[in-house]
Amino acid sequence: MLVQSFGIGVRQLREAQGWSQERLAENSNLNRSYVGEIERGRAIASLLTVEKLAAALQLTPSALLTRGEAISQLQPPPGGKLMAIAC
């Protein structure tokens, strides 16, 4: 779950900058397709990759990871369903 949430956070931050995946890849010295895989939660970023992405986005690695963790806490558990509670 954290892998997908981390990718969502990276995509949100990239889009907030108005950047394409290509631009983020160039600024972080990564391959564009790899950035896409991270954003889709299909690749697990190494610590070095987290560091590169964070630097490109002008964040600390811990801030980038914390964002992914916060998004993860907002997501329903795998197989779980969202339910509304009426008061």
Side-chain angles (χ1 to χ4, degrees), residues 20-32 35 56:
S20 64
Q21 286 182 346
E22 288 92 5
R23 176 125 183 235
L24 177 57
E26 288 173 12
N27 290 351
S28 57
N29 197 29
L30 296 168
N31 183 285
R32 198 242 13 113
V35 169

Side-chain angles (χ1 to χ4, degrees), residues 42-56:
R42 295 186 179 163
I44 299 172
S46 69
L47 290 175
L48 180 58
T49 298
V50 171
E51 184 177 50
K52 288 179 176 185
L53 290 168

Side-chain angles (χ1 to χ4, degrees), residues 7-68:
I8 291 168
V10 169
R11 184 180 68 239
Q12 289 174 345
L13 291 165
R14 173 182 61 76
E15 290 174 348
Q17 294 283 342
W19 292 352
S20 64
Q21 286 182 346
E22 288 92 5
R23 176 125 183 235
L24 177 57
E26 288 173 12
N27 290 351
S28 57
N29 197 29
L30 296 168
N31 183 285
R32 198 242 13 113
S33 63
Y34 182 52
V35 169
E37 293 290 312
I38 290 170
E39 288 186 358
R40 287 187 297 281
R42 295 186 179 163
I44 299 172
S46 69
L47 290 175
L48 180 58
T49 298
V50 171
E51 184 177 50
K52 288 179 176 185
L53 290 168
L57 294 165
Q58 298 180 343
L59 296 169
T60 63
S62 62
L64 186 55
L65 290 169
T66 298
R67 183 178 185 95

